[in-house]
Amino acid sequence: MRLVIARCSVDYAGRLTAHLPSAPRLILVKADGSVSIHADDRAYKPLNWMSPPCTLKEGTGDEAGVWTVVNKAGEKLIITMEEILHDSSYELGVDPGLIKDGVEAHLQELLADRIEILGEGHTLIRREYPTAIGPVDILCRDADGGTVAVELKRRGDIDGVEQLTRYLELLNRDPHLAPVKGIFAAQEIKPQARVLATDRGIGCLVLDYDAMRGIEDDKLRLF
């Protein structure tokens, strides 16, 4: 991971345009190729970012101090450096992944054991399928032999959809798995998360924890 603190301005050009005027900011360049720009507020959310796969080119000569990040769709994130205050790189290695709380971990175990909840003919490949950016909760195949990646949450919000989107981008680069579809599964899915998932072609599955434990079995719905 590379961390750069710089006074810079940022321009995004793609399906829409956006401009961040000059200010001191933190720029994160991760090993997966992603680039994100942060201010000293907004918690963990970046001001702007480019998800992988993308390429970063640092300008030289007359373009020195200009970083251009381009993704596979041709969208550009242009960072114009005015003053670099800090620039360092660290090798973090492979992350062991998030240790889930009891309910979320149990949901994963139950869904893996009852994979037919996703649809008739689904078969499990494995739980915690490893990737370079963390494990996918469940990887399986549908009745037609297509690969399906499932991200599980207790409460499904936009961040969970973004996480699954990153997994799908990575998994779809593997010719042995592609094409990979996504299902976002949670006990509760927020409306904004459902809209984002639908826009990205990701299915949403509402899970009833009691029903999956055999207490009641009539509230599982796949949208």
Side-chain angles (χ1 to χ4, degrees), residues 9 13 19 23 32 35 42-43 51 59 147-148 156 160 167 172 194 201 204 217:
S9 60
H19 175 71
D32 63 4
V35 178
R42 296 167 57 92
S51 300
T147 311
V148 181
Y167 286 143
N172 273 299
R194 186 181 297 278
C204 291
D217 201 20

Side-chain angles (χ1 to χ4, degrees), residues 166-188:
R166 292 192 293 271
Y167 286 143
L168 291 172
E169 289 176 347
L170 192 63
L171 292 169
N172 273 299
R173 298 184 210 171
D174 187 339
H176 300 292
L177 297 176
V180 184
K181 297 185 295 185
I183 293 179
F184 187 51
Q187 291 176 272
E188 175 191 354

